[in-house]
Amino acid sequence: MEATTGMNKTPIPLTGFAEEPEDLKTAMRAACDRVLGSSTWILGSEVDHFEVEFARTMGVRECVGVGNGMDALEMILRARGVGPGHEVITTPMTAAATVLAIIRAGATPVLADIDPSSGLLSGDSVQRCLTSKTKAIMLVHLYGQMRDLDTWTRLCESNNLELIEDCAQSHGATWRGRPCGTYGVAGAYSFYPTKNLGAVGDAGAIVTNDDGLATDIRVLRNYGQRTRYEHEVVGLNSRLDEMQAAILRARLAYLERFTLRRRSIAEKYRESILNTHVTLLAEPQEPAAHVHHQFVVLTEQRERFQNHLMQQGIPTLVHYPIPAHHQQAFDGVSRDPSGLASSETHAQQCVSLPCHPQLTDADVHRVIEAIESFNP
Ligand SMILES: *Cc1c(COP(=O)(O)O)cnc(C)c1O
């Protein structure tokens, strides 16, 4: 025991970037050199290639590289004509960017509660939020999981609503073998560095099987111009740059391997975490391939739990500590008339365990041991 104490205190890496394979680092350096040697920095061949490669890997017809995930969501809404006077239902248990994008598009966010067992949007609560102004549902595949897509597509069809998918945490996730982003009109990706596919700065993409929508997004991302110096709509400056695209191409080659590693870590956690003070979220639904952006557990003694793990050198995070309706920026936001109690409980109890692909088996074992020895 004594001899291993010191070793056990070596912190487990939070992101795992430094521990990534040497051949990936070499590929990223080569990507940078390629761009520096090209003299093209914006909307060049790296972006073209990345768009084709990402679309192919994700199993969709079209990919449009954009500045970040939040812009991607805003541009999908705008391209579909969702704006002033329209309500968009989404979850308070998400990155603030989801709600910000709705507001930026000029539409009104309406927050529905979550299903406490999964942390994802609750169908019953969404039903209570529907009004004559509801135009779209923004579905977040939180923590990397797709759930109940049959129900969501049926609900949107029967109420004539747009389904928009926030895929910022679900790179490569599928439902019945069909990829995220293809159940709705489009999917928005973020390549923020810590996402399952990350750039070395801000970056994002839109995927869709609708060619017309992809063309509209290409116009929107580039000041609203289809032909240079001719601005047909009020667009954004939200272009993916060549450097990020080149880096993403190098990293895309590792995505599948990294996703499999995340999955095996998650399976190990699921079978080994038995401590009754810690609750696991619902198992992935059968027809879904979960990509485990986060592995989240619930505990009523979160602060003690996080401190206990930290003492053993295990960093944890919270996704998310403040639900959207408690954010000052969204003060007075519309919501389920029955309240958002499950979101509030989740925000108080959720903890994200280390789950990145560079964790070693020994790291995973240490996390499990630390959790099993937690006794508040
Ligand atoms: C990261 C994230 C976003 C925002 O992406 P950015 O690239 O940071 O703008 C949106 N939604 C969810 C669910 C996210 O996790």
Side-chain angles (χ1 to χ4, degrees), residues 68-70 73 94-95 97-98 140 166 168-169 190-192 195 202-203 320:
N68 56 69
M70 182 173 136
L73 290 167
T94 182
T98 311
V140 181
D166 182 336
Q169 303 189 1
S190 166
F191 304 123
Y192 184 83
K195 308 290 178 169
D202 280 308
Y320 295 90

Side-chain angles (χ1 to χ4, degrees), residues 67-73 91 93-99 101 138-143 166-170 188-195 201-205 293 319-320:
N68 56 69
M70 182 173 136
D71 285 357
L73 290 167
T91 167
M93 190 42 60
T94 182
T98 311
V99 182
M138 194 172 274
L139 196 60
V140 181
H141 305 309
L142 192 73
Y143 307 145
D166 182 336
C167 306
Q169 303 189 1
S170 61
Y189 280 93
S190 166
F191 304 123
Y192 184 83
T194 54
K195 308 290 178 169
D202 280 308
H293 175 59
H319 300 94
Y320 295 90

